[in-house]
Amino acid sequence: MKLKMKISNPFKFDDGMSRKRRFKDIFRNASTLIFSLLTLVTLIYIIVYIFANGSSTLSWQFITSDYQEVSTSLYSRSDLNFDDRTFDFNEDGGEISEKWGVQLVDGENNLGEHVVYFLEVADNSYFNELVIGSNTATETYNNYDGQYISNLSLRVDEQIITLSSRDSASDIVNYLDQSNEIMFMEICTVGGGIRGSLLTTIYLILITLIIAIPLGVCAAIYLALYAKKNKFTMILRSLIDMTSAIPSIIFGFIGALVFIPFMNAVSGSNGGSILSGALTLTIMLISTIVKTTEESIIALPKGYMDSSLALGASRTETVFKIILPNALPGIITSIILSIGRIIGESAALVFAIGVSIQDNISLTGSSTSLAVHIWSLLKLENPNYDAACAISIIILCIVLVLCLLTKIISYRFNKKFKRS
Amino acid sequence: MKKISGVFVLGLAAMTLLSCGPQGFDTSSDIKLYTRDTDSGTRDGFFTKIGLEKAKADNAPLKTGIVTVDSNGSMMNSVGNDMYGIGYISLSTLSESDAIKGLSYNGVEPTEANVLNETYGLTRNFNYITRKPGDYSSTDVEAVVNAFIDYTFSFEGYTIMKGEHGIVEIPSDVKHWSEIASQHAIMQRTDLNLTINVGGSTSVSGMAQALTTAFSSLFPSGSTVKFNHNHTGSGDAYKNTQGGKGLDIGYLSRELESSEQAVEGTSGYMCTDAIVTIVNSENPLDNITNTQLVDMYGLNGETVTWSQLITE
């Protein structure tokens, strides 16, 4: 039932009220307004904070690159001689070492730290004559694209100058131009990407849903259509309700105690894996799926069942051909809610999968989801808030899309029944 | 509608007013002390060097109301957000925040040059410890750890340590890795699939990660050697290597205690790091002495407000 109240202006009152009542009303209205404003301001602040800090880090490269850096150790050969060659560069900007034929540029890695990238290495650059492993090796290296200088030791006038990615590009070029020998140079691919965690999250969603939907939907059909109204069913229902109220950390250590040893025995994995995580999430989500599906079945007009039976269809036929297709929007809503829960879940997964961020994902190997990835970033020696915010933006966007989908589906669902 | 939006604007204005506290540094304010947890090597080094040694593993000799934080990062955040706070971090992390500033110690600025010529006194050493020989999960792991320790003290290792703000002079007789690698047959294997667990001091974690990233790329294709980093504090370095299980290599940002007896040849010195006393960048203070610090942190010290240090 809807209360019909005129709330166009809460501070304007009919005359004839006593002063005491009017004062009370003003107090009540003002407090609702203040509290709703406070909530609004906090929410806006969180979203603005996340977007302001995360948007600079968020890039396609951040999403698709690996977390681990791969480094290469390079040396200039002891018999390297400089001739009078000149270099052509196509790129603008950055700092050019005319002696070695490289163009370096200041930049940031995915963790927001300053690094010096290779902008361009000229085709005839001495850098293409550097060798891997030692200064007497013969294997040359020429793939500098997208890599940065991690560490660099140069011999300048019998002195050893050590530089790192924290030094500026102009400093490095300055010392390079004075030096004839690269005693050791470590170059790295850019790490800190979230590809592995994103893939893990997708795997988790798929596997969890594949297991949880059949279990949940069948349980819901049983409870809504077949179960007799007795004590047993009542206890079953309240148990399912209770499951949805258990804190996720408890599911987490149940996962660690039950599912990790189980998966280790079954698949030969070692420690937490995507499968053990998915099983834990399944247990968590079944109650949501059962409740939502059951409600959407109960909400169907009773005439559907009766007319189908009256036309000669069996009970089973009615359930699978009439009830389930009509309850589909409710089931889809429950799936979308579950996906949202999987993406946001962290406490349970810390135990059930583990926290190590991986790039090569396998179902039986350890890896981590996006939400736990955030946790891992913040527990570092220097917490990386920017990257955490960037991941938050991704999660927020996914959740927003899911919310819109749920709204559209339930809107269509309601419209359909209003027509009938 | 006009009124509602009016109230909305009013509410926002009130929020902004509330969030802006009084501006400027008020010297009559109390000093807010921050310290690291007792597992921290930075804490050990700080209290040992300022002469408050009994405080390194216990909060009891310190003033009440002291705030304990559990990493360099949260120390920087805490002091950066607290105008009247004072704390201490590793020099290598000082440049990462504008909200804090490092103080000179006994009149000497905290720079790498001043640490190398031994005028800056507030320093500590970075050390490593490995498992006992024969106590590894496999002989392959042991061989890789031994090779890695040799790599740390090769020319390449020193370069990386210096790149990660380690303060050390590269010895003149240091060898390149290519000259040492031949002593380690494990480096030629193409069938390795190992995970090495590394942990210990949080201050050394950046350096340890840089070293392991470079080292793990040196194996021939076919072998994968992964280093799993879990840095929780110097206190866990001995405890989880020779004192128990969990780590293959542990790092300490302090010396081994007398209760932590390492088997000979399984531990050693890597490089030096400076500890910097930090205050909020609004704070006018530039220099601090060890006696001032003891008076500030010690339970019986008399310094409680900033005006006792800052004379205008």
Short mmCIF file of all heavy atoms in Angstrom, two decimals, chain A residues 8-9 33 37-38 40-41 69 71 73 75 133-134 151-153 160 162 164 166 183-184 186 356 358 379 381-383 385, chain B residues 7-8 12 15 71-73 76-77 93 96 155-156 159-160 162-165 170 176 178 202 205 213-214 217-218 226 230:
data_model
loop_
_atom_site.label_atom_id
_atom_site.label_comp_id
_atom_site.label_asym_id
_atom_site.label_seq_id
_atom_site.Cartn_x
_atom_site.Cartn_y
_atom_site.Cartn_z
N SER A 8 5.82 17.87 -1.59
CA SER A 8 6.51 18.82 -2.45
C SER A 8 7.39 19.77 -1.65
O SER A 8 8.51 20.06 -2.04
CB SER A 8 5.51 19.60 -3.29
OG SER A 8 4.62 20.27 -2.44
N ASN A 9 6.94 20.20 -0.52
CA ASN A 9 7.77 21.05 0.31
C ASN A 9 7.60 20.67 1.77
O ASN A 9 6.60 20.99 2.39
CB ASN A 9 7.39 22.52 0.10
CG ASN A 9 8.36 23.43 0.86
OD1 ASN A 9 9.15 22.97 1.69
ND2 ASN A 9 8.28 24.72 0.56
N LEU A 33 16.43 14.92 5.80
CA LEU A 33 17.14 15.62 4.73
C LEU A 33 18.64 15.59 4.97
O LEU A 33 19.43 15.29 4.07
CB LEU A 33 16.66 17.07 4.68
CG LEU A 33 16.64 17.64 3.27
CD1 LEU A 33 15.37 17.23 2.58
CD2 LEU A 33 16.80 19.13 3.32
N LEU A 37 21.40 13.70 2.67
CA LEU A 37 22.48 14.50 2.07
C LEU A 37 23.84 13.93 2.41
O LEU A 37 24.72 13.81 1.56
CB LEU A 37 22.41 15.93 2.59
CG LEU A 37 21.59 16.90 1.76
CD1 LEU A 37 21.59 18.27 2.42
CD2 LEU A 37 22.18 17.00 0.37
N LEU A 38 24.01 13.52 3.68
CA LEU A 38 25.28 12.98 4.15
C LEU A 38 25.64 11.73 3.34
O LEU A 38 26.78 11.57 2.88
CB LEU A 38 25.16 12.63 5.63
CG LEU A 38 26.44 12.77 6.43
CD1 LEU A 38 26.79 14.23 6.59
CD2 LEU A 38 26.27 12.10 7.78
N LEU A 40 24.55 10.93 0.37
CA LEU A 40 24.82 11.34 -1.01
C LEU A 40 26.23 11.89 -1.14
O LEU A 40 27.00 11.49 -2.03
CB LEU A 40 23.79 12.39 -1.43
CG LEU A 40 23.67 12.63 -2.92
CD1 LEU A 40 22.97 11.45 -3.55
CD2 LEU A 40 22.91 13.91 -3.19
N VAL A 41 26.59 12.80 -0.22
CA VAL A 41 27.91 13.43 -0.29
C VAL A 41 29.00 12.38 -0.15
O VAL A 41 29.99 12.38 -0.90
CB VAL A 41 28.04 14.52 0.79
CG1 VAL A 41 29.48 14.97 0.93
CG2 VAL A 41 27.16 15.70 0.46
N GLU A 69 57.33 -8.55 -14.23
CA GLU A 69 58.22 -7.96 -15.21
C GLU A 69 59.17 -9.04 -15.71
O GLU A 69 59.53 -9.94 -14.97
CB GLU A 69 59.03 -6.84 -14.56
CG GLU A 69 58.17 -5.70 -14.08
CD GLU A 69 59.00 -4.56 -13.54
OE1 GLU A 69 60.15 -4.81 -13.15
OE2 GLU A 69 58.49 -3.43 -13.50
N SER A 71 62.88 -9.39 -17.26
CA SER A 71 64.06 -8.55 -17.44
C SER A 71 65.09 -9.24 -18.33
O SER A 71 65.10 -10.45 -18.46
CB SER A 71 64.67 -8.19 -16.10
OG SER A 71 65.52 -9.22 -15.66
N SER A 73 69.38 -9.02 -19.26
CA SER A 73 70.67 -8.43 -18.89
C SER A 73 71.51 -8.24 -20.15
O SER A 73 71.77 -9.20 -20.87
CB SER A 73 71.41 -9.35 -17.92
OG SER A 73 70.61 -9.57 -16.78
N TYR A 75 74.94 -6.30 -22.20
CA TYR A 75 76.30 -5.79 -22.02
C TYR A 75 76.81 -5.29 -23.37
O TYR A 75 76.37 -5.76 -24.42
CB TYR A 75 77.23 -6.91 -21.54
CG TYR A 75 76.76 -7.58 -20.27
CD1 TYR A 75 75.76 -8.56 -20.32
CD2 TYR A 75 77.31 -7.24 -19.05
CE1 TYR A 75 75.31 -9.17 -19.16
CE2 TYR A 75 76.86 -7.85 -17.87
CZ TYR A 75 75.86 -8.82 -17.95
OH TYR A 75 75.42 -9.40 -16.80
N GLY A 133 73.91 -11.60 -21.62
CA GLY A 133 74.59 -12.57 -20.76
C GLY A 133 75.93 -12.10 -20.25
O GLY A 133 76.15 -12.08 -19.04
N SER A 134 76.86 -11.73 -21.14
CA SER A 134 78.16 -11.24 -20.68
C SER A 134 78.80 -10.45 -21.81
O SER A 134 78.31 -10.47 -22.94
CB SER A 134 79.07 -12.40 -20.29
OG SER A 134 79.57 -13.01 -21.45
N ASN A 151 68.13 -0.90 -14.59
CA ASN A 151 69.41 -0.56 -13.96
C ASN A 151 70.48 -0.44 -15.03
O ASN A 151 70.40 -1.12 -16.05
CB ASN A 151 69.83 -1.62 -12.94
CG ASN A 151 68.96 -1.57 -11.70
OD1 ASN A 151 69.03 -0.64 -10.92
ND2 ASN A 151 68.12 -2.58 -11.54
N LEU A 152 71.48 0.39 -14.76
CA LEU A 152 72.49 0.66 -15.77
C LEU A 152 73.81 0.98 -15.08
O LEU A 152 73.86 1.82 -14.19
CB LEU A 152 72.03 1.85 -16.63
CG LEU A 152 72.92 2.34 -17.75
CD1 LEU A 152 73.13 1.27 -18.79
CD2 LEU A 152 72.29 3.56 -18.40
N SER A 153 74.88 0.26 -15.48
CA SER A 153 76.22 0.59 -14.99
C SER A 153 77.08 1.00 -16.17
O SER A 153 77.18 0.27 -17.15
CB SER A 153 76.87 -0.63 -14.33
OG SER A 153 76.47 -0.73 -13.00
N ILE A 160 82.91 4.02 -12.23
CA ILE A 160 81.68 3.29 -12.55
C ILE A 160 80.48 4.13 -12.10
O ILE A 160 80.40 4.54 -10.94
CB ILE A 160 81.65 1.92 -11.85
CG1 ILE A 160 82.83 1.07 -12.32
CG2 ILE A 160 80.35 1.21 -12.13
CD1 ILE A 160 83.06 -0.16 -11.49
N THR A 162 76.49 4.16 -11.64
CA THR A 162 75.29 3.33 -11.65
C THR A 162 74.07 4.23 -11.71
O THR A 162 73.95 5.20 -10.96
CB THR A 162 75.21 2.43 -10.41
OG1 THR A 162 75.30 3.25 -9.27
CG2 THR A 162 76.28 1.40 -10.39
N SER A 164 69.58 4.17 -12.42
CA SER A 164 68.41 3.29 -12.40
C SER A 164 67.25 4.03 -13.03
O SER A 164 67.36 5.18 -13.44
CB SER A 164 68.07 2.89 -10.98
OG SER A 164 67.43 3.96 -10.32
N ARG A 166 64.93 5.38 -11.79
CA ARG A 166 64.49 6.56 -11.05
C ARG A 166 65.19 7.82 -11.54
O ARG A 166 64.72 8.92 -11.31
CB ARG A 166 64.74 6.37 -9.56
CG ARG A 166 63.86 5.32 -8.93
CD ARG A 166 64.03 5.32 -7.43
NE ARG A 166 63.16 4.34 -6.83
CZ ARG A 166 63.48 3.07 -6.70
NH1 ARG A 166 64.63 2.65 -7.14
NH2 ARG A 166 62.63 2.22 -6.13
N MET A 183 78.62 -1.58 -18.87
CA MET A 183 79.11 -2.72 -18.11
C MET A 183 77.98 -3.68 -17.78
O MET A 183 78.18 -4.87 -17.64
CB MET A 183 79.80 -2.25 -16.83
CG MET A 183 80.98 -1.35 -17.12
SD MET A 183 81.70 -0.72 -15.62
CE MET A 183 82.54 -2.18 -15.03
N PHE A 184 76.79 -3.14 -17.60
CA PHE A 184 75.62 -3.96 -17.31
C PHE A 184 74.39 -3.09 -17.49
O PHE A 184 74.34 -1.98 -16.99
CB PHE A 184 75.69 -4.49 -15.87
CG PHE A 184 74.41 -5.14 -15.38
CD1 PHE A 184 73.85 -6.20 -16.07
CD2 PHE A 184 73.77 -4.68 -14.23
CE1 PHE A 184 72.68 -6.81 -15.63
CE2 PHE A 184 72.61 -5.28 -13.78
CZ PHE A 184 72.06 -6.34 -14.48
N GLU A 186 70.14 -3.62 -17.30
CA GLU A 186 68.98 -4.48 -17.15
C GLU A 186 67.78 -3.75 -17.71
O GLU A 186 67.46 -2.63 -17.28
CB GLU A 186 68.75 -4.81 -15.67
CG GLU A 186 67.68 -5.85 -15.47
CD GLU A 186 67.13 -5.85 -14.05
OE1 GLU A 186 67.56 -5.03 -13.22
OE2 GLU A 186 66.26 -6.69 -13.79
N SER A 356 48.36 -14.66 -4.34
CA SER A 356 49.50 -14.41 -5.22
C SER A 356 49.00 -14.07 -6.62
O SER A 356 48.21 -14.79 -7.21
CB SER A 356 50.44 -15.60 -5.25
OG SER A 356 49.85 -16.66 -5.94
N GLN A 358 49.12 -13.83 -10.47
CA GLN A 358 49.77 -14.65 -11.49
C GLN A 358 49.45 -14.15 -12.89
O GLN A 358 48.44 -13.48 -13.10
CB GLN A 358 49.30 -16.11 -11.37
CG GLN A 358 49.57 -16.74 -10.03
CD GLN A 358 51.04 -16.99 -9.79
OE1 GLN A 358 51.83 -17.00 -10.73
NE2 GLN A 358 51.42 -17.17 -8.53
N LYS A 379 48.58 -3.86 0.39
CA LYS A 379 49.39 -4.36 1.50
C LYS A 379 50.88 -4.30 1.18
O LYS A 379 51.70 -4.66 1.99
CB LYS A 379 48.89 -5.75 1.86
CG LYS A 379 49.86 -6.86 1.78
CD LYS A 379 49.21 -8.19 1.97
CE LYS A 379 49.76 -9.16 0.97
NZ LYS A 379 50.97 -9.78 1.14
N GLU A 381 54.63 -2.64 0.53
CA GLU A 381 55.42 -1.73 1.35
C GLU A 381 54.99 -0.28 1.10
O GLU A 381 54.77 0.48 2.03
CB GLU A 381 56.90 -1.93 1.00
CG GLU A 381 57.85 -0.93 1.60
CD GLU A 381 57.92 -1.05 3.10
OE1 GLU A 381 57.31 -1.97 3.66
OE2 GLU A 381 58.59 -0.20 3.70
N ASN A 382 54.85 0.09 -0.17
CA ASN A 382 54.31 1.41 -0.48
C ASN A 382 52.97 1.20 -1.16
O ASN A 382 52.92 0.94 -2.35
CB ASN A 382 55.25 2.17 -1.41
CG ASN A 382 56.58 2.40 -0.74
OD1 ASN A 382 56.64 2.87 0.38
ND2 ASN A 382 57.64 2.01 -1.41
N PRO A 383 51.88 1.28 -0.41
CA PRO A 383 50.57 0.96 -0.98
C PRO A 383 50.31 1.76 -2.25
O PRO A 383 50.57 2.95 -2.30
CB PRO A 383 49.61 1.38 0.12
CG PRO A 383 50.39 1.35 1.36
CD PRO A 383 51.79 1.72 0.98
N TYR A 385 47.80 3.26 -4.27
CA TYR A 385 46.39 3.64 -4.28
C TYR A 385 45.88 3.91 -5.69
O TYR A 385 44.72 3.64 -5.99
CB TYR A 385 46.17 4.86 -3.39
CG TYR A 385 46.43 4.57 -1.94
CD1 TYR A 385 47.56 5.04 -1.31
CD2 TYR A 385 45.54 3.80 -1.20
CE1 TYR A 385 47.82 4.75 0.02
CE2 TYR A 385 45.78 3.52 0.13
CZ TYR A 385 46.92 3.99 0.73
OH TYR A 385 47.17 3.70 2.03
N VAL B 7 18.79 24.17 0.26
CA VAL B 7 19.23 23.40 1.44
C VAL B 7 20.42 22.53 1.07
O VAL B 7 21.39 22.40 1.82
CB VAL B 7 18.06 22.54 1.97
CG1 VAL B 7 18.56 21.59 3.04
CG2 VAL B 7 16.97 23.42 2.53
N PHE B 8 20.37 21.94 -0.15
CA PHE B 8 21.45 21.09 -0.63
C PHE B 8 22.78 21.85 -0.65
O PHE B 8 23.79 21.41 -0.13
CB PHE B 8 21.09 20.59 -2.03
CG PHE B 8 22.02 19.55 -2.56
CD1 PHE B 8 21.84 18.22 -2.21
CD2 PHE B 8 23.07 19.88 -3.39
CE1 PHE B 8 22.70 17.25 -2.67
CE2 PHE B 8 23.93 18.92 -3.86
CZ PHE B 8 23.74 17.60 -3.51
N LEU B 12 26.20 21.33 1.54
CA LEU B 12 27.53 21.18 0.95
C LEU B 12 28.49 22.19 1.53
O LEU B 12 29.63 21.87 1.89
CB LEU B 12 27.44 21.37 -0.57
CG LEU B 12 27.22 20.13 -1.41
CD1 LEU B 12 27.20 20.48 -2.87
CD2 LEU B 12 28.32 19.12 -1.14
N MET B 15 29.57 21.20 4.88
CA MET B 15 30.54 20.11 4.83
C MET B 15 31.95 20.63 4.52
O MET B 15 32.92 20.22 5.15
CB MET B 15 30.15 19.10 3.74
CG MET B 15 28.90 18.32 4.04
SD MET B 15 29.18 17.01 5.24
CE MET B 15 30.16 15.90 4.25
N SER B 71 53.92 -0.39 8.32
CA SER B 71 54.81 -0.39 7.16
C SER B 71 55.31 1.03 6.92
O SER B 71 54.76 1.99 7.45
CB SER B 71 54.09 -0.89 5.91
OG SER B 71 53.16 0.08 5.48
N ASN B 72 56.39 1.12 6.10
CA ASN B 72 56.89 2.44 5.71
C ASN B 72 55.78 3.26 5.06
O ASN B 72 55.65 4.45 5.29
CB ASN B 72 58.02 2.28 4.70
CG ASN B 72 59.37 2.17 5.35
OD1 ASN B 72 59.61 2.74 6.40
ND2 ASN B 72 60.26 1.42 4.75
N GLY B 73 54.97 2.57 4.22
CA GLY B 73 53.91 3.27 3.49
C GLY B 73 52.90 3.88 4.43
O GLY B 73 52.52 5.06 4.29
N MET B 76 54.29 6.89 6.20
CA MET B 76 54.29 8.10 5.39
C MET B 76 52.89 8.71 5.32
O MET B 76 52.73 9.92 5.42
CB MET B 76 54.77 7.78 3.97
CG MET B 76 56.24 7.51 3.90
SD MET B 76 56.85 7.68 2.22
CE MET B 76 55.91 6.44 1.39
N ASN B 77 51.89 7.86 5.15
CA ASN B 77 50.52 8.36 5.08
C ASN B 77 50.10 9.01 6.39
O ASN B 77 49.50 10.08 6.41
CB ASN B 77 49.55 7.23 4.76
CG ASN B 77 49.59 6.89 3.30
OD1 ASN B 77 49.86 7.74 2.48
ND2 ASN B 77 49.33 5.63 2.99
N THR B 93 62.39 5.51 0.74
CA THR B 93 60.99 5.81 0.46
C THR B 93 60.67 7.29 0.65
O THR B 93 59.55 7.71 0.37
CB THR B 93 60.06 4.98 1.37
OG1 THR B 93 60.63 4.89 2.65
CG2 THR B 93 59.87 3.60 0.80
N GLU B 96 59.00 9.62 -2.11
CA GLU B 96 57.74 9.26 -2.74
C GLU B 96 56.53 10.07 -2.28
O GLU B 96 55.44 9.89 -2.78
CB GLU B 96 57.47 7.76 -2.52
CG GLU B 96 58.37 6.92 -3.40
CD GLU B 96 58.31 5.46 -3.04
OE1 GLU B 96 57.27 5.04 -2.52
OE2 GLU B 96 59.30 4.76 -3.29
N PHE B 155 78.75 -8.06 -9.83
CA PHE B 155 78.68 -6.68 -10.29
C PHE B 155 77.23 -6.30 -10.59
O PHE B 155 76.76 -5.21 -10.23
CB PHE B 155 79.54 -6.51 -11.55
CG PHE B 155 79.53 -5.12 -12.09
CD1 PHE B 155 80.31 -4.13 -11.51
CD2 PHE B 155 78.72 -4.78 -13.16
CE1 PHE B 155 80.29 -2.85 -11.99
CE2 PHE B 155 78.69 -3.49 -13.64
CZ PHE B 155 79.49 -2.53 -13.06
N GLU B 156 76.50 -7.24 -11.23
CA GLU B 156 75.10 -6.99 -11.58
C GLU B 156 74.26 -6.78 -10.31
O GLU B 156 73.43 -5.87 -10.24
CB GLU B 156 74.55 -8.17 -12.38
CG GLU B 156 75.04 -8.26 -13.80
CD GLU B 156 76.42 -8.90 -13.92
OE1 GLU B 156 77.06 -9.13 -12.88
OE2 GLU B 156 76.85 -9.14 -15.06
N THR B 159 74.88 -3.41 -8.81
CA THR B 159 74.22 -2.38 -9.61
C THR B 159 72.74 -2.27 -9.23
O THR B 159 72.20 -1.18 -9.04
CB THR B 159 74.33 -2.72 -11.11
OG1 THR B 159 75.71 -2.83 -11.44
CG2 THR B 159 73.69 -1.64 -11.96
N ILE B 160 72.10 -3.43 -9.10
CA ILE B 160 70.67 -3.43 -8.79
C ILE B 160 70.43 -2.90 -7.38
O ILE B 160 69.53 -2.11 -7.14
CB ILE B 160 70.09 -4.84 -8.98
CG1 ILE B 160 70.17 -5.24 -10.45
CG2 ILE B 160 68.66 -4.92 -8.48
CD1 ILE B 160 69.89 -6.69 -10.72
N LYS B 162 72.25 -0.77 -5.75
CA LYS B 162 72.39 0.68 -5.77
C LYS B 162 71.19 1.34 -6.45
O LYS B 162 70.72 2.38 -6.02
CB LYS B 162 73.68 1.06 -6.52
CG LYS B 162 74.92 0.86 -5.67
CD LYS B 162 76.14 1.40 -6.37
CE LYS B 162 76.24 2.90 -6.27
NZ LYS B 162 77.53 3.36 -5.79
N GLY B 163 70.70 0.70 -7.51
CA GLY B 163 69.53 1.24 -8.20
C GLY B 163 68.31 1.30 -7.30
O GLY B 163 67.43 2.13 -7.48
N GLU B 164 68.25 0.41 -6.32
CA GLU B 164 67.12 0.39 -5.38
C GLU B 164 67.46 1.15 -4.10
O GLU B 164 66.96 0.81 -3.03
CB GLU B 164 66.75 -1.06 -5.06
CG GLU B 164 66.15 -1.80 -6.23
CD GLU B 164 64.79 -1.29 -6.62
OE1 GLU B 164 64.04 -0.86 -5.73
OE2 GLU B 164 64.49 -1.30 -7.83
N HIS B 165 68.34 2.14 -4.21
CA HIS B 165 68.70 3.03 -3.09
C HIS B 165 69.53 2.36 -2.01
O HIS B 165 69.64 2.92 -0.92
CB HIS B 165 67.45 3.64 -2.44
CG HIS B 165 66.73 4.60 -3.32
ND1 HIS B 165 67.26 5.81 -3.65
CD2 HIS B 165 65.56 4.51 -3.94
CE1 HIS B 165 66.41 6.44 -4.44
NE2 HIS B 165 65.38 5.66 -4.64
N ILE B 170 80.69 -0.29 -4.65
CA ILE B 170 80.96 -1.53 -5.37
C ILE B 170 82.43 -1.89 -5.17
O ILE B 170 83.30 -1.08 -5.47
CB ILE B 170 80.64 -1.37 -6.87
CG1 ILE B 170 79.16 -0.99 -7.05
CG2 ILE B 170 80.96 -2.65 -7.63
CD1 ILE B 170 78.73 -0.86 -8.48
N HIS B 176 81.92 -10.07 -12.55
CA HIS B 176 80.67 -10.11 -13.29
C HIS B 176 80.03 -11.47 -13.12
O HIS B 176 80.71 -12.46 -12.87
CB HIS B 176 80.91 -9.83 -14.78
CG HIS B 176 80.84 -8.38 -15.12
ND1 HIS B 176 81.82 -7.50 -14.78
CD2 HIS B 176 79.88 -7.66 -15.76
CE1 HIS B 176 81.49 -6.28 -15.20
NE2 HIS B 176 80.32 -6.35 -15.79
N SER B 178 78.84 -13.45 -15.28
CA SER B 178 79.25 -14.45 -16.26
C SER B 178 80.48 -15.22 -15.78
O SER B 178 80.68 -16.37 -16.15
CB SER B 178 79.54 -13.78 -17.60
OG SER B 178 80.48 -12.75 -17.42
N THR B 202 60.16 -5.56 5.36
CA THR B 202 59.41 -4.84 4.34
C THR B 202 60.29 -3.77 3.69
O THR B 202 60.09 -3.42 2.54
CB THR B 202 58.16 -4.16 4.92
OG1 THR B 202 58.56 -3.27 5.96
CG2 THR B 202 57.18 -5.17 5.47
N SER B 205 62.03 -5.18 0.68
CA SER B 205 61.22 -5.89 -0.31
C SER B 205 61.44 -5.38 -1.73
O SER B 205 61.52 -6.16 -2.67
CB SER B 205 59.74 -5.83 0.07
OG SER B 205 59.24 -4.54 -0.11
N THR B 213 63.79 -10.54 -9.84
CA THR B 213 63.29 -10.37 -11.22
C THR B 213 64.44 -10.53 -12.21
O THR B 213 64.33 -11.25 -13.21
CB THR B 213 62.67 -8.99 -11.40
OG1 THR B 213 61.64 -8.82 -10.43
CG2 THR B 213 62.07 -8.83 -12.79
N ALA B 214 65.57 -9.87 -11.90
CA ALA B 214 66.72 -9.96 -12.81
C ALA B 214 67.27 -11.38 -12.83
O ALA B 214 67.58 -11.93 -13.88
CB ALA B 214 67.80 -8.98 -12.37
N SER B 217 65.41 -14.27 -14.76
CA SER B 217 65.44 -14.25 -16.23
C SER B 217 66.71 -14.89 -16.77
O SER B 217 66.88 -15.01 -17.97
CB SER B 217 65.34 -12.81 -16.73
OG SER B 217 66.55 -12.14 -16.43
N LEU B 218 67.62 -15.30 -15.88
CA LEU B 218 68.92 -15.81 -16.34
C LEU B 218 68.89 -17.30 -16.65
O LEU B 218 69.84 -17.84 -17.19
CB LEU B 218 69.99 -15.55 -15.28
CG LEU B 218 70.24 -14.08 -14.98
CD1 LEU B 218 71.18 -13.92 -13.80
CD2 LEU B 218 70.83 -13.39 -16.20
N LYS B 226 60.37 -19.36 -10.04
CA LYS B 226 59.57 -18.23 -9.58
C LYS B 226 59.96 -17.88 -8.16
O LYS B 226 60.20 -18.76 -7.33
CB LYS B 226 58.08 -18.60 -9.61
CG LYS B 226 57.41 -18.21 -10.91
CD LYS B 226 55.92 -18.18 -10.78
CE LYS B 226 55.31 -19.55 -10.60
NZ LYS B 226 53.89 -19.61 -10.78
N ASN B 230 56.83 -12.51 0.12
CA ASN B 230 55.87 -12.22 1.17
C ASN B 230 56.61 -11.56 2.33
O ASN B 230 57.11 -12.22 3.22
CB ASN B 230 55.18 -13.51 1.62
CG ASN B 230 54.05 -13.23 2.56
OD1 ASN B 230 53.62 -12.08 2.69
ND2 ASN B 230 53.59 -14.25 3.26
#
